[in-house]
Amino acid sequence: MKINLIHKPFIAILFLVIGVCPMQSQTGEQIVLGTKHTLRSTVLEEDRDYWISLPESYHDKRSSYKRYPVLIVLDGNVHFKPIAGMVNYMSADTYRNQKIPEMIVVAIQNVDRRRDYTPDKIITTRANTSGGGDHFLQFLEDELLPDLDQKYRTVPYRILFGHSLGGLLAAHAYMKEKTLFNAFLAVDPSFGTWDSETMDHKLDAITDASFKRFLYMATANWGKRNIRNRDRHVRFYESLNSKYSGMLPGKLEYFEHENHSSVPIIAFHNGISAIFEGYGISYRDIAAKEQLTEHFQEISERLSWDFPPPEHLVNQLGYALLQSRNAEDRPKALEFFLLNVENFPKSPNAYDSLAEAYETLGDTQKAIENYKKVLGLEPDNANASLKIKELNR
């Protein structure tokens, strides 16, 4: 496997707020968004390039216990930069946004997109390469995802993003009986190759397995051709909705002011937000531990995957109570810090916060016990060592 840095020559011209003179020098330092990789595919019998952007916390020593969902981006040469940046902005602690979990973004570079993204052979007067969609999905599921799982700290929650023909493939993968993907973003999918009979045949074959996955679909405004394009998407989505007895885990959204080319990035933002709706709840909106756990149980049930309350959110709730002016509130902080230890047993910070809570509440012995657990996970933690010495005096 080849690994090279992606060098993006960002050129910034900065002016002083109250002046007009440009800065006199530039360092020329690179801004690195990700890394470039190649995997030899025996399924496709060719080398396939892909780019990876890792979460902001991935290389943080104190976050080495964390594992991350995987986002696969089709047409990666076009969509990698904006989507990787957006995922980082929406999830990283730096921006205090955290509407979605941190994710590993993997962008697949194109070789023959008509071949790879069309599930069915298209008959034309001239020979064409269409119809290799299932073959390409086999590459993703049998080769790429296992390779990523081996090399990176992943969890088997995977999202597939596709636009146009890529959206067609995403919709096709959603309907398959078996897939390794859990959620799909099909942006303005090119359903033109599916006539009514073909679409009905595919919809009739769908099973309950698909309804355990989340589907977001976006429709752009095609101007004079808009009714036909939009009708295909509405027909497809409403057919799915009619086949499911409950509330379909999904969303269909129409973008009147976006065309086929402009819709992907705004649709990605709305789609990833729809998948993780409620994930970025503020600690100010949580009154009790039971409310918090029920909230994330609902998210987990909707996505058919266990998403515990984020560690940072639970920490905020715990410290808000621990630092309360009302003395009766402070002991309640323990149940939040204990929840973090239960959900993240390999996190030094979870035990450090619990130890601090016990220390504040006057339980010296339990404070020492938990500071020792910090050292068990992070032997060079100077704060934990100092606290143990102080509390043993």
Side-chain angles (χ1 to χ4, degrees), residues 84-347:
M86 194 178 301
V87 168
N88 180 261
Y89 184 82
M90 295 176 72
S91 65
D93 182 62
T94 300
Y95 311 107
R96 300 292 181 185
N97 197 357
Q98 299 164 322
K99 288 184 64 177
I100 63 174
E102 288 186 291
M103 285 181 267
I104 296 173
V105 179
V106 182
I108 316 299
Q109 307 306 296
N110 288 334
V111 173
D112 183 344
R113 67 190 303 271
R114 177 169 289 274
R115 176 198 70 185
D116 291 340
Y117 297 165
T118 51
D120 308 290
K121 185 66 180 178
I122 303 170
I123 306 301
T124 57
T125 54
R126 294 183 179 181
N128 65 73
T129 59
S130 64
D134 282 321
H135 212 45
F136 182 74
L137 288 173
Q138 185 184 353
F139 156 68
L140 293 181
E141 299 193 358
D142 292 354
E143 296 181 323
L144 180 60
L145 289 177
D147 191 65
L148 296 171
D149 291 342
Q150 183 181 6
K151 292 180 171 64
Y152 298 93
R153 301 196 310 272
T154 65
V155 294
Y157 188 86
R158 293 105 174 198
I159 302 169
L160 180 62
F161 168 87
H163 164 242
S164 193
L165 285 179
L168 173 67
L169 186 70
H172 171 72
Y174 167 81
M175 290 191 289
K176 291 175 73 69
E177 171 68 19
K178 293 183 179 180
T179 178
L180 296 183
F181 291 97
N182 309 80
F184 301 83
L185 299 168
V187 177
D188 215 26
S190 297
F191 282 168
T193 59
W194 289 357
D195 57 25
S196 298
E197 183 179 351
T198 301
M199 185 179 289
D200 286 343
H201 176 72
K202 291 177 180 294
L203 289 166
D204 287 342
I206 201 168
T207 69
D208 289 342
S210 292
F211 300 131
K212 294 180 181 179
R213 309 159 192 157
F214 193 98
L215 174 66
Y216 173 86
M217 288 183 62
T219 300
N221 190 336
W222 282 53
K224 293 180 180 179
R225 294 184 293 162
N226 193 43
I227 294 177
R228 189 174 182 183
N229 179 65
R230 189 176 178 183
D231 280 354
R232 287 192 185 109
H233 296 159
V234 171
R235 184 174 184 275
F236 178 80
Y237 188 84
E238 289 305 322
S239 295
L240 292 175
N241 206 15
S242 67
K243 291 177 182 293
Y244 187 61
S245 57
M247 181 174 290
L248 182 70
K251 184 177 182 179
L252 172 64
E253 190 168 11
Y254 173 60
F255 292 85
E256 184 177 359
H257 302 294
E258 305 297 335
N259 60 36
H260 186 66
S261 298
S262 68
V263 76
I265 303 310
I266 188 172
F268 172 80
H269 174 275
N270 289 14
I272 203 74
S273 298
I275 293 173
F276 293 105
E277 182 180 1
Y279 188 87
I281 188 172
S282 170
Y283 77 96
R284 295 183 178 88
D285 296 326
I286 298 295
K289 175 191 167 185
E290 291 73 24
Q291 179 194 358
L292 176 71
T293 54
E294 287 176 8
H295 179 79
F296 279 89
Q297 282 172 2
E298 291 175 1
I299 293 174
S300 299
E301 288 172 6
R302 187 180 79 242
L303 300 180
S304 299
W305 186 262
D306 181 27
F307 285 97
E311 184 179 354
H312 69 87
L313 172 62
V314 178
N315 241 25
Q316 282 182 306
L317 289 161
Y319 278 111
L321 289 168
L322 192 64
Q323 298 164 1
S324 173
R325 295 179 181 179
N326 186 348
E328 294 181 358
D329 285 340
R330 294 170 198 159
K332 299 176 185 177
L334 284 174
E335 60 186 26
F336 287 101
F337 293 128
L338 286 167
L339 179 63
N340 257 352
V341 166
E342 178 185 344
N343 288 333
F344 307 99
K346 295 183 179 180
S347 167

